[in-house]
mmCIF file of all heavy atoms in Angstrom:
data_model
loop_
_atom_site.group_PDB
_atom_site.id
_atom_site.type_symbol
_atom_site.label_atom_id
_atom_site.label_comp_id
_atom_site.label_asym_id
_atom_site.label_seq_id
_atom_site.Cartn_x
_atom_site.Cartn_y
_atom_site.Cartn_z
ATOM 1 N N PRO A 1 66.657 40.270 129.844
ATOM 2 C CA PRO A 1 65.774 39.311 129.078
ATOM 3 C C PRO A 1 65.570 38.057 129.752
ATOM 4 O O PRO A 1 66.439 37.512 130.500
ATOM 5 C CB PRO A 1 66.586 39.153 127.848
ATOM 6 C CG PRO A 1 67.505 40.254 127.646
ATOM 7 C CD PRO A 1 67.787 40.596 129.133
ATOM 8 N N PRO A 2 64.486 37.298 129.443
ATOM 9 C CA PRO A 2 64.209 35.962 129.990
ATOM 10 C C PRO A 2 65.302 35.066 129.518
ATOM 11 O O PRO A 2 65.826 35.186 128.384
ATOM 12 C CB PRO A 2 62.856 35.567 129.305
ATOM 13 C CG PRO A 2 62.216 36.841 128.898
ATOM 14 C CD PRO A 2 63.347 37.826 128.643
ATOM 15 N N GLY A 3 65.679 34.144 130.373
ATOM 16 C CA GLY A 3 66.631 33.094 129.874
ATOM 17 C C GLY A 3 68.120 33.544 130.442
ATOM 18 O O GLY A 3 68.963 32.692 130.536
ATOM 19 N N VAL A 4 68.269 34.803 130.819
ATOM 20 C CA VAL A 4 69.565 35.227 131.255
ATOM 21 C C VAL A 4 69.592 34.865 132.783
ATOM 22 O O VAL A 4 68.709 35.235 133.552
ATOM 23 C CB VAL A 4 69.712 36.785 131.139
ATOM 24 C CG1 VAL A 4 71.037 37.162 131.804
ATOM 25 C CG2 VAL A 4 69.676 37.098 129.676
ATOM 26 N N GLU A 5 70.683 34.237 133.192
ATOM 27 C CA GLU A 5 70.838 33.866 134.590
ATOM 28 C C GLU A 5 71.508 35.069 135.316
ATOM 29 O O GLU A 5 72.585 35.474 134.957
ATOM 30 C CB GLU A 5 71.748 32.681 134.669
ATOM 31 C CG GLU A 5 72.036 32.280 136.125
ATOM 32 C CD GLU A 5 73.077 31.084 136.261
ATOM 33 O OE1 GLU A 5 73.442 30.518 135.182
ATOM 34 O OE2 GLU A 5 73.608 30.909 137.372
ATOM 35 N N VAL A 6 70.871 35.598 136.289
ATOM 36 C CA VAL A 6 71.318 36.789 136.996
ATOM 37 C C VAL A 6 71.921 36.280 138.368
ATOM 38 O O VAL A 6 71.212 35.530 139.148
ATOM 39 C CB VAL A 6 70.195 37.748 137.238
ATOM 40 C CG1 VAL A 6 70.756 38.957 138.035
ATOM 41 C CG2 VAL A 6 69.612 38.237 135.974
ATOM 42 N N VAL A 7 73.121 36.673 138.650
ATOM 43 C CA VAL A 7 73.844 36.266 139.840
ATOM 44 C C VAL A 7 74.366 37.419 140.613
ATOM 45 O O VAL A 7 74.693 38.511 139.950
ATOM 46 C CB VAL A 7 74.908 35.284 139.601
ATOM 47 C CG1 VAL A 7 74.337 34.035 139.035
ATOM 48 C CG2 VAL A 7 76.006 35.840 138.728
ATOM 49 N N ARG A 8 74.444 37.437 141.877
ATOM 50 C CA ARG A 8 75.013 38.419 142.714
ATOM 51 C C ARG A 8 76.481 38.349 142.710
ATOM 52 O O ARG A 8 77.064 37.208 142.790
ATOM 53 C CB ARG A 8 74.514 38.444 144.148
ATOM 54 C CG ARG A 8 74.980 39.546 145.038
ATOM 55 C CD ARG A 8 75.090 39.125 146.499
ATOM 56 N NE ARG A 8 75.918 40.095 147.186
ATOM 57 C CZ ARG A 8 77.201 39.855 147.324
ATOM 58 N NH1 ARG A 8 77.910 38.946 146.607
ATOM 59 N NH2 ARG A 8 78.007 40.822 147.909
ATOM 60 N N GLY A 9 77.197 39.432 142.589
ATOM 61 C CA GLY A 9 78.713 39.371 142.722
ATOM 62 C C GLY A 9 79.171 40.852 143.015
ATOM 63 O O GLY A 9 78.473 41.830 142.540
ATOM 64 N N ASP A 10 80.229 40.877 143.657
ATOM 65 C CA ASP A 10 80.876 42.063 144.031
ATOM 66 C C ASP A 10 82.418 41.865 143.959
ATOM 67 O O ASP A 10 82.923 40.958 144.466
ATOM 68 C CB ASP A 10 80.415 42.431 145.482
ATOM 69 C CG ASP A 10 80.781 43.818 145.918
ATOM 70 O OD1 ASP A 10 81.958 44.388 145.551
ATOM 71 O OD2 ASP A 10 79.985 44.588 146.346
ATOM 72 N N TYR A 11 83.077 42.902 143.313
ATOM 73 C CA TYR A 11 84.504 42.772 143.148
ATOM 74 C C TYR A 11 85.177 42.619 144.527
ATOM 75 O O TYR A 11 86.317 42.118 144.608
ATOM 76 C CB TYR A 11 85.081 43.973 142.376
ATOM 77 C CG TYR A 11 84.650 43.883 140.925
ATOM 78 C CD1 TYR A 11 83.719 44.922 140.404
ATOM 79 C CD2 TYR A 11 85.169 43.044 140.118
ATOM 80 C CE1 TYR A 11 83.361 44.816 139.057
ATOM 81 C CE2 TYR A 11 84.848 42.985 138.719
ATOM 82 C CZ TYR A 11 83.844 43.844 138.177
ATOM 83 O OH TYR A 11 83.536 43.935 136.886
ATOM 84 N N ALA A 12 84.636 43.150 145.535
ATOM 85 C CA ALA A 12 85.192 43.323 146.880
ATOM 86 C C ALA A 12 84.996 41.883 147.569
ATOM 87 O O ALA A 12 85.483 41.722 148.764
ATOM 88 C CB ALA A 12 84.669 44.335 147.700
ATOM 89 N N ASP A 13 84.225 40.994 147.010
ATOM 90 C CA ASP A 13 83.885 39.694 147.562
ATOM 91 C C ASP A 13 84.352 38.559 146.634
ATOM 92 O O ASP A 13 83.497 38.138 145.837
ATOM 93 C CB ASP A 13 82.379 39.547 147.763
ATOM 94 C CG ASP A 13 82.003 38.291 148.346
ATOM 95 O OD1 ASP A 13 82.686 37.452 148.636
ATOM 96 O OD2 ASP A 13 80.677 38.094 148.499
ATOM 97 N N PRO A 14 85.589 38.180 146.833
ATOM 98 C CA PRO A 14 86.115 37.064 145.909
ATOM 99 C C PRO A 14 85.286 35.867 145.847
ATOM 100 O O PRO A 14 85.266 35.230 144.694
ATOM 101 C CB PRO A 14 87.542 36.804 146.530
ATOM 102 C CG PRO A 14 87.900 38.062 147.311
ATOM 103 C CD PRO A 14 86.585 38.519 147.846
ATOM 104 N N GLY A 15 84.664 35.433 146.947
ATOM 105 C CA GLY A 15 83.836 34.217 146.853
ATOM 106 C C GLY A 15 82.633 34.397 145.981
ATOM 107 O O GLY A 15 82.296 33.425 145.260
ATOM 108 N N SER A 16 82.090 35.654 145.804
ATOM 109 C CA SER A 16 81.002 35.801 144.917
ATOM 110 C C SER A 16 81.500 35.683 143.460
ATOM 111 O O SER A 16 80.686 35.259 142.605
ATOM 112 C CB SER A 16 80.242 37.123 145.213
ATOM 113 O OG SER A 16 80.982 38.169 144.818
ATOM 114 N N LEU A 17 82.712 36.197 143.232
ATOM 115 C CA LEU A 17 83.215 36.194 141.766
ATOM 116 C C LEU A 17 83.475 34.682 141.479
ATOM 117 O O LEU A 17 83.301 34.322 140.390
ATOM 118 C CB LEU A 17 84.461 37.053 141.800
ATOM 119 C CG LEU A 17 84.324 38.472 142.115
ATOM 120 C CD1 LEU A 17 85.601 39.275 141.990
ATOM 121 C CD2 LEU A 17 83.194 39.160 141.217
ATOM 122 N N THR A 18 84.059 33.920 142.392
ATOM 123 C CA THR A 18 84.311 32.525 142.091
ATOM 124 C C THR A 18 83.039 31.774 141.786
ATOM 125 O O THR A 18 83.005 31.022 140.800
ATOM 126 C CB THR A 18 85.126 31.868 143.272
ATOM 127 O OG1 THR A 18 86.274 32.592 143.440
ATOM 128 C CG2 THR A 18 85.392 30.441 142.977
ATOM 129 N N ALA A 19 82.048 31.939 142.587
ATOM 130 C CA ALA A 19 80.715 31.252 142.319
ATOM 131 C C ALA A 19 80.179 31.750 140.981
ATOM 132 O O ALA A 19 79.656 30.904 140.232
ATOM 133 C CB ALA A 19 79.761 31.599 143.424
ATOM 134 N N ALA A 20 80.315 33.027 140.671
ATOM 135 C CA ALA A 20 79.710 33.469 139.388
ATOM 136 C C ALA A 20 80.500 32.952 138.149
ATOM 137 O O ALA A 20 79.898 32.813 137.171
ATOM 138 C CB ALA A 20 79.743 34.983 139.393
ATOM 139 N N SER A 21 81.689 32.628 138.451
ATOM 140 C CA SER A 21 82.626 32.191 137.310
ATOM 141 C C SER A 21 82.438 30.624 136.978
ATOM 142 O O SER A 21 82.957 30.115 136.049
ATOM 143 C CB SER A 21 84.020 32.556 137.620
ATOM 144 O OG SER A 21 84.242 33.854 137.688
ATOM 145 N N ALA A 22 81.864 29.927 137.971
ATOM 146 C CA ALA A 22 81.822 28.470 137.865
ATOM 147 C C ALA A 22 80.978 28.136 136.611
ATOM 148 O O ALA A 22 79.909 28.595 136.320
ATOM 149 C CB ALA A 22 81.068 27.955 139.041
ATOM 150 N N GLY A 23 81.654 27.285 135.794
ATOM 151 C CA GLY A 23 81.018 26.774 134.594
ATOM 152 C C GLY A 23 80.995 27.699 133.361
ATOM 153 O O GLY A 23 80.362 27.316 132.342
ATOM 154 N N VAL A 24 81.626 28.825 133.548
ATOM 155 C CA VAL A 24 81.661 29.683 132.297
ATOM 156 C C VAL A 24 82.789 29.398 131.425
ATOM 157 O O VAL A 24 83.827 28.873 131.830
ATOM 158 C CB VAL A 24 81.584 31.234 132.665
ATOM 159 C CG1 VAL A 24 80.430 31.480 133.594
ATOM 160 C CG2 VAL A 24 82.928 31.653 133.342
ATOM 161 N N SER A 25 82.622 29.695 130.150
ATOM 162 C CA SER A 25 83.739 29.543 129.162
ATOM 163 C C SER A 25 84.310 30.746 128.607
ATOM 164 O O SER A 25 85.425 30.804 128.085
ATOM 165 C CB SER A 25 83.240 28.649 127.926
ATOM 166 O OG SER A 25 82.198 29.396 127.231
ATOM 167 N N ALA A 26 83.705 31.864 129.009
ATOM 168 C CA ALA A 26 84.128 33.261 128.559
ATOM 169 C C ALA A 26 83.554 34.289 129.508
ATOM 170 O O ALA A 26 82.504 34.083 130.128
ATOM 171 C CB ALA A 26 83.720 33.526 127.074
ATOM 172 N N VAL A 27 84.395 35.387 129.623
ATOM 173 C CA VAL A 27 83.924 36.532 130.474
ATOM 174 C C VAL A 27 83.994 37.739 129.692
ATOM 175 O O VAL A 27 85.037 37.981 129.071
ATOM 176 C CB VAL A 27 84.810 36.510 131.735
ATOM 177 C CG1 VAL A 27 84.449 37.758 132.518
ATOM 178 C CG2 VAL A 27 84.655 35.281 132.525
ATOM 179 N N PHE A 28 83.034 38.572 129.794
ATOM 180 C CA PHE A 28 83.042 39.937 129.244
ATOM 181 C C PHE A 28 83.214 40.850 130.532
ATOM 182 O O PHE A 28 82.298 40.954 131.313
ATOM 183 C CB PHE A 28 81.797 40.364 128.433
ATOM 184 C CG PHE A 28 81.792 41.722 127.930
ATOM 185 C CD1 PHE A 28 82.447 41.861 126.572
ATOM 186 C CD2 PHE A 28 81.330 42.812 128.549
ATOM 187 C CE1 PHE A 28 82.524 43.173 126.105
ATOM 188 C CE2 PHE A 28 81.496 44.043 127.974
ATOM 189 C CZ PHE A 28 81.964 44.304 126.760
ATOM 190 N N LEU A 29 84.359 41.364 130.661
ATOM 191 C CA LEU A 29 84.743 42.111 131.904
ATOM 192 C C LEU A 29 84.559 43.704 131.684
ATOM 193 O O LEU A 29 85.243 44.262 130.799
ATOM 194 C CB LEU A 29 86.209 41.795 132.238
ATOM 195 C CG LEU A 29 86.865 42.486 133.486
ATOM 196 C CD1 LEU A 29 86.026 42.315 134.716
ATOM 197 C CD2 LEU A 29 88.256 42.064 133.639
ATOM 198 N N VAL A 30 83.688 44.171 132.404
ATOM 199 C CA VAL A 30 83.520 45.658 132.507
ATOM 200 C C VAL A 30 83.801 46.080 133.940
ATOM 201 O O VAL A 30 83.042 45.595 134.806
ATOM 202 C CB VAL A 30 82.015 46.143 132.028
ATOM 203 C CG1 VAL A 30 81.922 47.623 132.203
ATOM 204 C CG2 VAL A 30 81.784 45.579 130.614
ATOM 205 N N THR A 31 84.728 46.847 134.069
ATOM 206 C CA THR A 31 85.024 47.373 135.453
ATOM 207 C C THR A 31 84.726 48.820 135.666
ATOM 208 O O THR A 31 84.947 49.620 134.868
ATOM 209 C CB THR A 31 86.560 47.169 135.714
ATOM 210 O OG1 THR A 31 87.065 45.978 135.072
ATOM 211 C CG2 THR A 31 86.861 46.960 137.164
ATOM 212 N N PRO A 32 84.149 49.132 136.770
ATOM 213 C CA PRO A 32 83.987 50.581 137.051
ATOM 214 C C PRO A 32 85.241 51.362 136.992
ATOM 215 O O PRO A 32 86.233 50.882 137.515
ATOM 216 C CB PRO A 32 83.243 50.623 138.365
ATOM 217 C CG PRO A 32 83.500 49.365 138.927
ATOM 218 C CD PRO A 32 83.797 48.403 138.061
ATOM 219 N N PRO A 33 85.294 52.580 136.331
ATOM 220 C CA PRO A 33 86.499 53.357 136.358
ATOM 221 C C PRO A 33 86.830 53.765 137.781
ATOM 222 O O PRO A 33 85.978 53.896 138.545
ATOM 223 C CB PRO A 33 86.130 54.605 135.409
ATOM 224 C CG PRO A 33 84.700 54.579 135.489
ATOM 225 C CD PRO A 33 84.125 53.244 135.698
ATOM 226 N N GLY A 34 88.087 54.145 137.950
ATOM 227 C CA GLY A 34 88.559 54.558 139.254
ATOM 228 C C GLY A 34 89.853 53.918 139.648
ATOM 229 O O GLY A 34 90.343 52.965 138.984
ATOM 230 N N PRO A 35 90.335 54.205 140.873
ATOM 231 C CA PRO A 35 91.593 53.783 141.398
ATOM 232 C C PRO A 35 91.659 52.281 141.686
ATOM 233 O O PRO A 35 92.608 51.660 141.676
ATOM 234 C CB PRO A 35 91.864 54.627 142.612
ATOM 235 C CG PRO A 35 90.476 55.159 143.016
ATOM 236 C CD PRO A 35 89.794 55.240 141.756
ATOM 237 N N GLU A 36 90.509 51.728 141.841
ATOM 238 C CA GLU A 36 90.474 50.201 142.229
ATOM 239 C C GLU A 36 90.250 49.379 140.940
ATOM 240 O O GLU A 36 90.193 48.149 141.161
ATOM 241 C CB GLU A 36 89.207 50.037 143.069
ATOM 242 C CG GLU A 36 89.362 50.728 144.529
ATOM 243 C CD GLU A 36 90.524 50.282 145.200
ATOM 244 O OE1 GLU A 36 90.903 48.990 145.231
ATOM 245 O OE2 GLU A 36 91.224 51.109 145.950
ATOM 246 N N ALA A 37 90.163 49.916 139.719
ATOM 247 C CA ALA A 37 89.970 49.147 138.572
ATOM 248 C C ALA A 37 90.777 47.974 138.368
ATOM 249 O O ALA A 37 90.445 46.862 138.076
ATOM 250 C CB ALA A 37 89.923 50.079 137.306
ATOM 251 N N ALA A 38 92.141 48.202 138.468
ATOM 252 C CA ALA A 38 93.220 47.128 138.232
ATOM 253 C C ALA A 38 92.964 45.926 139.261
ATOM 254 O O ALA A 38 93.014 44.812 138.926
ATOM 255 C CB ALA A 38 94.541 47.720 138.350
ATOM 256 N N ARG A 39 92.628 46.403 140.500
ATOM 257 C CA ARG A 39 92.430 45.362 141.629
ATOM 258 C C ARG A 39 91.163 44.549 141.198
ATOM 259 O O ARG A 39 91.091 43.384 141.404
ATOM 260 C CB ARG A 39 92.307 45.969 143.013
ATOM 261 C CG ARG A 39 92.192 44.976 144.013
ATOM 262 C CD ARG A 39 92.284 45.815 145.434
ATOM 263 N NE ARG A 39 91.100 46.627 145.759
ATOM 264 C CZ ARG A 39 90.037 46.225 146.271
ATOM 265 N NH1 ARG A 39 89.897 44.932 146.535
ATOM 266 N NH2 ARG A 39 89.053 47.015 146.494
ATOM 267 N N TYR A 40 90.125 45.218 140.714
ATOM 268 C CA TYR A 40 88.860 44.550 140.415
ATOM 269 C C TYR A 40 89.108 43.576 139.303
ATOM 270 O O TYR A 40 88.637 42.446 139.283
ATOM 271 C CB TYR A 40 87.822 45.642 140.049
ATOM 272 C CG TYR A 40 87.228 46.391 141.254
ATOM 273 C CD1 TYR A 40 86.647 47.620 140.945
ATOM 274 C CD2 TYR A 40 87.462 46.022 142.574
ATOM 275 C CE1 TYR A 40 86.108 48.346 141.989
ATOM 276 C CE2 TYR A 40 86.939 46.799 143.621
ATOM 277 C CZ TYR A 40 86.365 48.000 143.326
ATOM 278 O OH TYR A 40 85.944 48.784 144.356
ATOM 279 N N ASP A 41 89.769 44.052 138.255
ATOM 280 C CA ASP A 41 90.208 43.225 137.048
ATOM 281 C C ASP A 41 90.815 41.942 137.513
ATOM 282 O O ASP A 41 90.453 40.935 137.174
ATOM 283 C CB ASP A 41 90.987 43.955 136.075
ATOM 284 C CG ASP A 41 90.217 44.997 135.246
ATOM 285 O OD1 ASP A 41 88.852 45.042 135.370
ATOM 286 O OD2 ASP A 41 90.845 45.821 134.597
#
């Protein structure tokens, strides 16, 4: 929807996650299932 800020991020790229997290007060975390889920979380 309009007004939603869309940012690039990849669990394998910590810098992208840090940038995406800047200025947020809450996170809704959905992780793809699989053996890497805990690492991604």
Side-chain angles (χ1 to χ4, degrees):
V4 172
E5 180 184 347
V6 180
V7 296
R8 185 206 159 279
D10 191 314
Y11 291 108
D13 177 4
S16 71
L17 299 178
T18 300
S21 298
V24 303
S25 58
V27 176
F28 184 86
L29 176 59
V30 178
T31 326
E36 298 297 322
R39 185 172 67 87
Y40 292 160
D41 287 349

